[in-house]
Amino acid sequence: MPGVVSCFEDNMLLGFGKVNNSREEKQFHNQNGVRTRINDFGGVSGMDFLDPRTSRSDYYGTLIKTMKQIGYEVGKNLRGAPYDWRYASYSAPLQAFRNQLKALIEETFHMNNGTPVSLVSHSYGSLNLVVFLSEETSEWKEKYIRRVMSLSGVFAGTPVSVSVALSGDSFGIPILSAASARIIQRTLESNYLFFPRNRYNADKVLVSTKDRSFTYAQIKELFLHFNLTEESERYSYVNEKAKKYKDIEPGLSAGKFYCMYGSEVIHQCRLVTPMETLTLNLWARWETETELLIWIVCFGVPSGQTPQWKPSPRFHTDR
């Protein structure tokens, strides 16, 4: 369905530049004529499946189904907070989201007779949640937050974002090829925010090609190697803006923060390294400089399976 895919691409792409010839600095923005809205904020139908037409795109669907089976009620004590994940945490759309999230937490607290709320986040949602918590007072967090459970949080970035920028990933959406997804993903502000921080890994090799290797500190050179000049400019802009978050921490009392990761799982290609290796130093700083006690849970591969690298047949680096 090429027409449908092209329409999807046009609506999801983010432009980068000055808006309406203003004197303000460049920024990421919707394409002209495109307006995005969040589906079912406070409910769960905006986050169960990436594409509701197929179970192959299950996101929170299985978790939601399980929680409903054990007695949770959608709209009362089982609530969702979807957001426009194309933008970075410092952007206006995500700042507005954090205001909505705070109101949703307080509303849910009062709907359930003053019961503190447990928050579950995944990937980029975990980073956004830490930004949100860092902006709230200790008194507010003690009153309203019972615990935070982060699933594969990208606190220190993830090499997956590099794979996405170079090769693309359809994330299980049947009508979308990796090449089509890549056109969108190279424009997204958030994907550049996910690029691994070189603070702890500057000299480690991130990507190897036939010609040379690139370390975590050479991401701009990596883009230029593949003639991705626009992408290099976007990365530089986001990297500079994101510096305000390099020392943030959630500020929760001991025992309220849980980090869960897969361990020894099958990865897409050699470009991708386990995310937990990027965050260990960050967790250590959180625990050393604050009273935060982090519970770390790692899930191994199923019994009888051997951890292995799984090269992707669609891995390519052409434009």
Side-chain angles (χ1 to χ4, degrees):
M1 296 188 290
V4 174
V5 173
S6 296
C7 180
F8 180 76
E9 288 177 3
D10 289 341
N11 287 329
M12 294 299 291
L13 290 171
L14 285 183
F16 179 63
K18 294 183 178 181
V19 180
N20 299 325
N21 297 318
S22 68
R23 294 183 179 181
E24 298 178 1
E25 64 177 357
K26 291 183 177 181
Q27 58 183 283
F28 287 81
H29 55 81
N30 275 328
Q31 298 283 79
N32 290 333
V34 175
R35 178 170 169 255
T36 52
R37 293 165 294 279
I38 300 302
N39 180 40
D40 196 20
F41 190 88
V44 297
S45 63
M47 53 193 300
D48 47 2
F49 295 92
L50 299 179
D51 183 347
R53 294 168 296 184
T54 172
S55 59
R56 288 176 57 191
S57 66
D58 186 354
Y59 189 52
Y60 275 105
T62 300
L63 177 61
I64 291 168
K65 179 181 178 180
T66 301
M67 295 187 74
K68 288 167 66 176
Q69 289 174 342
I70 62 176
Y72 283 87
E73 184 179 339
V74 174
K76 181 183 178 183
N77 55 11
L78 178 57
R79 315 198 71 184
Y83 58 93
D84 194 334
W85 43 265
R86 299 174 303 160
Y87 292 96
S89 302
Y90 53 76
S91 67
L94 270 294
Q95 290 171 357
F97 160 73
R98 293 196 290 276
N99 293 334
Q100 291 179 296
L101 177 60
K102 182 175 182 177
L104 180 67
I105 291 171
E106 292 177 352
E107 180 185 67
T108 306
F109 174 89
H110 293 296
M111 287 174 62
N112 292 274
N113 302 315
T115 304
V117 175
S118 293
L119 302 174
V120 179
S121 60
H122 173 249
S123 188
Y124 184 27
S126 297
L127 177 58
N128 277 323
L129 195 52
V130 169
V131 172
F132 167 74
L133 293 171
S134 72
E135 296 173 342
E136 299 302 326
T137 65
S138 298
E139 293 75 18
W140 187 91
K141 286 178 282 196
E142 282 297 317
K143 179 178 180 180
Y144 290 104
I145 305 301
R146 182 179 181 185
R147 65 172 69 90
V148 172
M149 290 168 282
S150 164
L151 311 176
S152 295
V154 291
F155 303 115
T158 168
V160 174
S161 63
V162 185
S163 175
V164 165
L166 296 180
S167 304
D169 195 324
S170 65
F171 294 108
I173 301 176
I175 67 169
L176 195 63
S177 68
S180 294
R182 183 179 58 181
I183 295 173
I184 300 169
Q185 289 159 339
R186 283 181 175 175
T187 73
L188 303 185
E189 185 176 24
S190 57
N191 194 53
Y192 297 101
L193 184 70
F194 304 158
F195 270 56
R197 317 289 190 270
N198 62 33
R199 185 174 181 180
Y200 305 118
N201 305 277
D203 298 327
K204 294 182 180 179
V205 173
L206 174 64
V207 177
S208 292
T209 71
K210 292 185 299 182
D211 306 319
R212 59 166 294 184
S213 295
F214 299 87
T215 67
Y216 283 76
Q218 296 174 319
I219 292 176
K220 285 187 66 176
E221 293 179 43
L222 172 66
F223 280 127
L224 296 177
H225 179 79
F226 292 110
N227 297 316
L228 300 173
T229 54
E230 292 181 12
E231 288 76 4
S232 178
E233 183 183 4
R234 292 176 185 233
Y235 168 75
S236 297
Y237 171 88
V238 174
N239 194 45
E240 183 64 29
K241 283 282 189 180
K243 287 180 179 179
K244 64 184 293 186
Y245 294 131
K246 68 184 180 70
D247 290 319
I248 64 167
E249 51 90 13
L252 294 170
S253 55
K256 282 192 172 185
F257 199 87
Y258 295 76
C259 292
M260 303 182 188
Y261 286 89
S263 177
E264 298 182 326
V265 296
I266 296 175
H267 292 291
Q268 179 180 340
C269 59
R270 284 194 179 273
L271 173 70
V272 182
T273 56
M275 275 186 277
E276 62 269 22
T277 62
L278 298 177
T279 55
L280 289 176
N281 284 318
L282 184 64
W283 290 336
R285 182 177 62 77
W286 283 353
E287 288 191 322
T288 301
E289 299 178 6
T290 73
E291 295 180 355
L292 178 64
L293 172 64
I294 301 173
W295 296 87
I296 303 172
V297 182
C298 292
F299 300 93
V301 296
S303 177
Q305 292 188 15
T306 303
Q308 59 181 313
W309 291 106
K310 184 182 179 183
S312 170
R314 66 170 185 255
F315 181 71
H316 50 277
T317 53
D318 58 287
R319 276 186 82 94

